[in-house]
Amino acid sequence: MPRAPQQVAGAHVLTGVLCGVLAGALWGMVFIVPELLPGFTPVELAVGRYLAYGAISFGLMLPGLRRLLRRLAPPDYLALLRQALSGNLVYYMLLALGVKLAGVAPTSLIIGLIPVAVTLLGRRDQGAVPLRRLAAPLAIVGIAIACINVDAFQHAKAGGAPLSSTVLGLACAVGALACWTWYAVDNARYLKRNPQFSGGQWSSLYGLASGLVALPIGAASLLFSHAGVLEAAAPARDWFLFWAYNGLLALGASVIGNQLWNIASRRLPVTLTGQLILFETVSAMLYGFVWRAQAPRLLELAAIALLVLGVTWSVRLHAAPGPSAVAA
């Protein structure tokens, strides 16, 4: 007996939500690798990760590369370039610089607004639930973000950085927020407008584009470091571990995580995918607790509980039958 349309729509949404949650769990690994490789600069970590991502993507798409490239039109090349820069390289570098200049707590406060920013930017997309219906879950998410950052501020040590550095760091964090928000909405809309590319194909093309863009950035970084323009990195550095960790990060967080995210982006409205980004924050926090062998504090536990509550509520609103339900 065929399933009712409402059941099909519910299963469609549930699959998209599961893919989004798994993508967030894989993306959370990004916050652990810098602690595993403290001797390398943020630019080196970004270039290493995306060079590995590009190499893996090239290998995966090699059998059908010529056929796939023949399907690309000039707008596709421009989309890949802007998404590789906004969603990967520029975002990560601005984030790393913001942490260095302003500290983890202020930067995370700004970056934690990504779900709200994505929801607001995608509020007019097809299938989006009206903001008035999302007001309560968004308020819960806002309280959760406040809990995370109040706890961070309470336990942060004063670094004594000059005001100008802090202001520049906050500006970099705002830039990172703008980059990833714009990428998330642009990627979701582009996939919906171009069904000729599967999620896996676009993820591979996106990875290859990121690797190609990382090449000149890595070359420039190497040139400037030798010229003494950039700050010298720590002398004791294990390049085998560098490539091993970045290779694993590229495969898990970039290749698999991005493909899962593309599936979610096709099945869900932008307002809901914006909420699912929060699972990256939750995963990163949990990985951090395990890595530091430290139990979460009360505010951290409250933040995790509120995040789960807010996202679950949003999922139920999107899965409910009615004019805003997602079509199969």
Side-chain angles (χ1 to χ4, degrees), residues 96-107 153 161 165-171 173:
L97 189 55
V99 170
K100 181 177 180 180
L101 296 176
V104 174
T107 305
F153 278 115
S165 294
T166 303
V167 171
L168 180 57
L170 293 175

Side-chain angles (χ1 to χ4, degrees), residues 26-247:
L26 290 169
W27 287 343
M29 298 188 304
V30 173
F31 296 86
I32 299 299
V33 170
E35 294 195 22
L36 297 174
L37 300 170
F40 294 88
T41 67
V43 174
E44 289 172 332
L45 291 174
V47 170
R49 173 187 173 184
Y50 295 122
L51 283 177
Y53 182 19
I56 295 173
S57 299
F58 178 75
L60 290 174
M61 65 190 300
L62 186 57
L65 181 59
R66 289 186 178 179
R67 183 173 62 255
L68 185 57
L69 290 179
R70 283 197 296 267
R71 293 165 54 186
L72 291 175
D76 299 324
Y77 287 105
L78 292 176
L80 288 168
L81 176 60
R82 68 175 182 258
Q83 290 183 16
L85 287 170
S86 61
N88 279 343
L89 289 146
V90 176
Y91 163 76
Y92 186 85
M93 291 178 188
L94 287 173
L95 174 60
L97 189 55
V99 170
K100 181 177 180 180
L101 296 176
V104 174
T107 305
S108 64
L109 174 62
I110 295 172
I111 299 301
L113 297 174
I114 282 179
V116 177
V118 170
T119 296
L120 294 176
L121 192 60
R123 66 189 183 277
R124 299 188 185 279
D125 282 34
Q126 183 179 6
V129 172
L131 284 179
R132 63 180 179 274
R133 293 185 61 198
L134 290 174
L138 283 178
I140 291 175
V141 167
I143 296 172
I145 293 172
C147 287
I148 292 173
N149 289 279
V150 166
D151 180 82
F153 278 115
Q154 286 179 346
H155 293 84
K157 295 181 179 179
L163 179 61
S164 58
S165 294
T166 303
V167 171
L168 180 57
L170 293 175
C172 290
V174 171
L177 169 66
C179 282
W180 214 96
T181 300
W182 185 81
Y183 157 73
V185 175
D186 183 64
N187 180 61
R189 291 173 176 171
Y190 203 84
L191 284 171
K192 288 186 173 78
R193 291 197 308 266
N194 294 272
Q196 71 272 23
F197 298 110
S198 69
Q201 289 173 333
W202 191 252
S203 178
S204 295
L205 289 168
Y206 173 60
L208 183 58
S210 298
L212 291 174
V213 174
L215 277 173
I217 295 177
S221 173
L222 186 63
L223 179 63
F224 289 145
S225 63
H226 281 304
V229 177
L230 298 180
E231 182 182 351
R237 305 195 292 175
D238 190 328
W239 286 97
F240 174 79
L241 288 179
F242 174 84
W243 289 112
Y245 288 143
N246 278 294

Side-chain angles (χ1 to χ4, degrees), residues 228-316:
V229 177
L230 298 180
E231 182 182 351
R237 305 195 292 175
D238 190 328
W239 286 97
F240 174 79
L241 288 179
F242 174 84
W243 289 112
Y245 288 143
N246 278 294
L248 290 173
L249 190 62
L251 177 62
S254 295
V255 176
I256 300 176
N258 287 349
Q259 184 167 351
L260 288 169
W261 185 255
N262 285 338
I263 295 173
S265 296
R266 283 189 185 278
R267 292 173 177 262
L268 304 173
V270 174
T271 47
L272 180 53
T273 54
Q275 305 306 301
L276 294 178
I277 297 171
L278 286 169
F279 279 96
E280 178 185 7
T281 303
V282 174
S283 299
M285 291 173 65
L286 293 176
Y287 299 155
F289 297 146
V290 173
W291 172 250
R292 295 190 301 267
Q294 172 184 318
R297 295 182 287 266
L298 182 60
L299 275 176
E300 291 172 329
L301 284 173
I304 294 174
L306 289 169
L307 284 171
V308 173
L309 175 61
V311 172
T312 302
W313 193 346
S314 180
V315 169
R316 290 178 63 86

